[in-house]
Amino acid sequence: MTTTDRTPRKLHVVTHGCQMNVYDSARMTDLLRPLGYETVAAPEGADMVIINTCHIRERAEEKVFSQLGRLRKMKEEQGGNMMIAVTGCVAQAEGEVLAQRAPFVDLVVGPQAYHRLPELIAQAHRKAGAVIDTDFPVEQKFDYLPDDAAPQGVVSFLSIQEGCDKFCSFCVVPYTRGAEASRPVASVLAEAKRMVALGAREIALLGQNVNAYHGEGPDGSTWSLAQLMDKMAEIEGLERIRYTTSHPNDMGEDLILAHRDNIKLMPFLHLPVQSGSDKILRAMNRKHKADDFRRIVERLRHVRPDMAMSSDFITGHPGETDADFEETMKLVRETGFALAYSFKYSPRPGTPAASLPQVEEAVKDARLQELQGLLREQQNTFNASIVGLETPVLFTGSGRHPGQIAGRSLWLQPVVVEHETDLTGKIRMVKITRANPNSLSGTLLDKELIAA
Ligand code: SAH
Ligand code: SF4
Ligand code: F3S
C-alpha cells in the first residue's frame, strides 16, 4: 500500500441502510485519507465514488441500481475517469452478478473486507473489469482500521459487534454480514476515548445484535455488554451511552439492571419484536414469545420507571392472518411505544420465508397503514407527555432557523431552543414547552451547566 502518494483526489461516498453502514462509510473515508482522497459533497467530477449499500428490503436494493445508472452516465462524461466502488450488503449478496449487471463498476467489496480497500484500489487501477472481494477474512477488519478517525460530532457511533447467527426467516443479515463477532474490550475503549477527545459526549454502541456482545476483556475473560458499558461510564467527558440494535433473547438480567445502575445509560431502548403473534414469531424463527417481550419491558420499566421503548415490526410475513396481525396491534396497544419502525414484509432471495406462500400485497399494505397509524398516535402521546417536564438536553449544534440551537432529550427526541449562544457539546436543563410532530420545543432553564 502506498501511503506516500498524496496527489489530491476527490471522493464521494453515498450511504444506504443502517447505522453500521454509516460507521463503515466513515471508516472507509478514514482509510482513504492517507492516500490523498478528500471527500466532496456531489459525485460530479469525483475521482472515486463509493456506494455503501443495503440489502434488507427490495426497495433498498433497487435504489442502488438506479443510482448506478446515473453514475454510469457521469463516468462516461468524465471519459471513464471515475472509479466506482460498490460496498456493503448488496456487494456481499450479489458479488459477481453485480459486476456483470453493472460492468462499469470497478470494485465490489463486502462489509467485512473493506479494510483492504487501499490494495483493492491499486489492483483495480492495474486490471480491466471489476475487482471483487466478498471474503469473510479470518482477520478482523477492526484490527486493520486506522486510529486517526475523523470526528463524528457530539453524538458518535461506534461499532462493537458485527454479524448475526440468528437466521430469522425473513432476514439477509446473517448472509451479508456473516457470523457474529465482538471486538475486544480494549479496542472499543480506546476508540471511545479517542471519540470523546474529539468532542463526542454521547456514544451509541452499534451491532446487528449488540446485546449479544461478548468481547475479550483485558483479563482474558469474556465481557458482556453491561460490563463493557460500566467501564465506558468511567470515561471522563462521556455523558451518555446508548446501544442498538438488540434482540429480546439477549436481554440478560445484568443488562436490564444496567439501566438502573449505569448512570450514563439512557432510559430508551430499541428492541425489535417484529410481531405480537406467537405463531408468526415461531415462523420467523425468533425463538421467543410475545409474553417474553412483555416481561422484558415490564422489568425494564420496573428498574427504570422513565424507560421509553422503541421497536421494529413487519406486516405480512408469510402465514400472517388477520388474527395474527390483531395480536401485533394488541401488543402495541399494551406496550405503548415512544418510537417505532414498521415495514411491509419483503421477500429476500436465499431466505427461508421467501419460498413460502406469500400474503397479498394489498393486505400487507392495509396492515402496515393501520399499524403505522397506531404507532404514530403513540409517538404523539409520548411526545406530549414530555411537555411541561424539566429535563436535561445535550446540545448538538444550531437549529434550522437563525437564533435556534438544537439538541436531544434523554429519549432521543430532537429538542429546539431559541438561544443565541452556541452550546454544542453541553448539557443544560430545559423546560419542554411544546411537542411538534417530529421534535420538541423548550426554553433554557438556568445558566448552570450540567456538563460542559
Ligand atoms: N438485528 C435487528 C434488525 C436488523 S434489520 C434485529 O434483530 O431485530 C432492521 C429491521 O428491518 C428488522 O428489525 C426488521 O423489522 C426489518 N426487516 C428485516 N428484513 C426484512 C424483510 N425481509 N422485509 C421487511 N422488513 C425486514
Ligand atoms: Fe436479522 Fe434476525 Fe439477525 Fe436481526 S436477529 S439481524 S432480524 S437474522
Ligand atoms: Fe442493510 Fe446491511 Fe445494515 S442489509 S440494514 S446495511 S446490515
Side-chain angles (χ1 to χ4, degrees):
M1 166 173 137
T2 59
T3 47
T4 45
D5 178 6
R6 285 174 170 276
T7 334
R9 297 185 179 111
K10 291 179 187 157
L11 167 69
H12 178 69
V13 184
V14 185
T15 309
H16 298 286
C18 60
Q19 286 299 340
M20 301 200 67
N21 261 12
V22 177
Y23 176 87
D24 288 347
S25 288
R27 301 322 314 270
M28 287 192 269
T29 310
D30 291 335
L31 265 170
L32 297 184
R33 202 175 307 112
L35 300 181
Y37 285 96
E38 285 157 17
T39 43
V40 290
E44 288 85 3
D47 299 286
M48 171 135 187
V49 176
I50 297 178
I51 306 194
N52 196 12
T53 61
C54 174
H55 201 236
I56 203 84
R57 284 168 290 274
E58 202 179 349
R59 197 179 298 166
E61 194 186 347
E62 280 165 2
K63 250 195 235 162
V64 173
F65 282 100
S66 66
Q67 226 152 25
L68 278 174
R70 285 196 297 277
L71 282 179
R72 173 200 197 147
K73 272 212 199 100
M74 233 176 262
K75 183 173 180 162
E76 279 167 11
E77 282 160 18
Q78 291 181 206
N81 290 323
M82 177 191 275
M83 187 173 278
I84 300 177
V86 179
T87 61
C89 292
V90 175
Q92 189 63 44
E94 309 259 308
E96 293 281 346
V97 178
L98 199 146
Q100 279 163 18
R101 209 174 136 184
F104 51 94
V105 167
D106 304 278
L107 276 172
V108 180
V109 187
Q112 304 306 339
Y114 71 74
H115 56 290
R116 298 171 173 171
L117 222 88
E119 69 184 79
L120 295 171
I121 291 175
Q123 273 181 41
H125 275 301
R126 290 194 297 268
K127 179 176 173 279
V131 172
I132 303 176
D133 190 344
T134 49
D135 280 358
F136 291 118
V138 275
E139 80 259 17
Q140 269 226 14
K141 74 178 172 210
F142 293 111
D143 299 340
Y144 290 80
L145 295 176
D147 287 345
D148 55 344
Q152 291 184 39
V154 172
V155 175
S156 293
F157 294 92
L158 203 177
S159 284
I160 64 165
Q161 183 270 354
E162 282 234 27
C164 180
D165 296 336
K166 294 204 159 56
F167 291 92
C168 299
S169 62
F170 51 83
C171 184
V172 292
V173 171
Y175 312 95
T176 63
R177 294 271 171 169
E180 206 173 292
S182 297
R183 284 174 75 175
V185 170
S187 132
V188 174
L189 290 176
E191 191 167 347
K193 283 179 190 155
R194 282 197 298 271
M195 285 176 165
V196 172
L198 291 172
R201 293 294 168 265
E202 172 174 320
I203 292 182
L205 301 173
L206 303 179
Q208 264 89 24
N209 272 293
V210 74
N211 61 341
Y213 178 85
H214 56 282
E216 190 193 328
D219 52 355
S221 70
T222 302
W223 282 33
S224 69
L225 179 62
Q227 280 173 292
L228 174 72
M229 291 193 300
D230 256 355
K231 199 73 194 163
M232 275 184 69
E234 290 174 13
I235 300 176
E236 215 175 305
L238 177 64
E239 304 296 339
R240 293 179 167 189
I241 305 171
R242 303 179 191 273
Y243 58 96
T244 197
T245 298
S246 296
H247 192 290
N249 288 357
D250 296 306
M251 263 340 276
E253 185 64 13
D254 69 331
L255 187 52
I256 291 176
L257 290 178
H259 283 275
R260 179 191 68 188
D261 302 330
N262 187 330
I263 51 159
K264 294 190 179 175
L265 188 56
M266 292 293 97
F268 178 93
L269 178 64
H270 181 66
L271 187 64
V273 64
Q274 318 296 357
S275 169
S277 150
D278 286 341
K279 186 192 96 191
I280 293 303
L281 287 170
R282 206 177 320 116
M284 286 177 163
N285 194 30
R286 293 289 291 183
K287 299 198 170 80
H288 65 80
K289 296 202 155 98
D291 276 350
D292 297 317
F293 180 81
R294 287 186 177 93
R295 260 193 299 275
I296 294 166
V297 176
E298 195 185 322
R299 280 289 298 144
L300 282 165
R301 285 177 171 161
H302 179 74
V303 304
R304 181 86 208 230
D306 62 347
M307 193 79 193
M309 297 300 302
S310 159
S311 198
D312 289 345
F313 297 89
I314 295 178
T315 66
H317 182 277
E320 188 187 74
T321 61
D322 285 340
D324 294 317
F325 175 66
E326 196 35 56
E327 291 285 309
T328 300
M329 293 294 282
K330 183 164 163 255
L331 180 69
V332 173
R333 269 184 230 113
E334 286 169 9
T335 309
F337 290 96
L339 189 70
Y341 304 88
S342 44
F343 313 97
K344 222 168 35 157
Y345 169 72
S346 169
R348 306 307 290 132
T351 60
S355 54
L356 298 172
Q358 300 293 310
V359 172
E360 249 178 83
E361 213 54 33
V363 175
K364 285 195 225 176
D365 261 328
R367 288 179 190 161
L368 186 67
Q369 294 308 318
E370 195 180 335
L371 177 61
Q372 287 184 338
L374 176 59
L375 290 168
R376 181 79 236 179
E377 215 175 275
Q378 292 195 339
Q379 188 179 332
N380 293 344
T381 306
F382 178 72
N383 288 345
S385 76
I386 308 299
V387 176
L389 226 61
E390 297 177 0
T391 186
V393 170
L394 169 60
F395 287 96
T396 50
S398 47
R400 212 176 295 161
H401 303 291
Q404 279 186 345
I405 53 172
R408 290 182 178 220
S409 74
L410 298 172
W411 307 281
L412 218 56
Q413 297 138 305
V415 180
V416 181
V417 170
E418 306 285 331
H419 193 67
E420 293 298 335
T421 326
D422 179 23
L423 292 178
T424 303
K426 297 184 167 57
I427 299 181
R428 297 279 291 267
M429 286 304 277
V430 169
K431 182 168 178 118
I432 305 299
T433 51
R434 199 175 67 223
N436 317 304
N438 295 305
S439 67
L440 302 172
S441 305
T443 49
L444 276 187
L445 265 185
D446 51 41
K447 302 258 179 302
E448 195 190 327
L449 287 182
I450 291 184

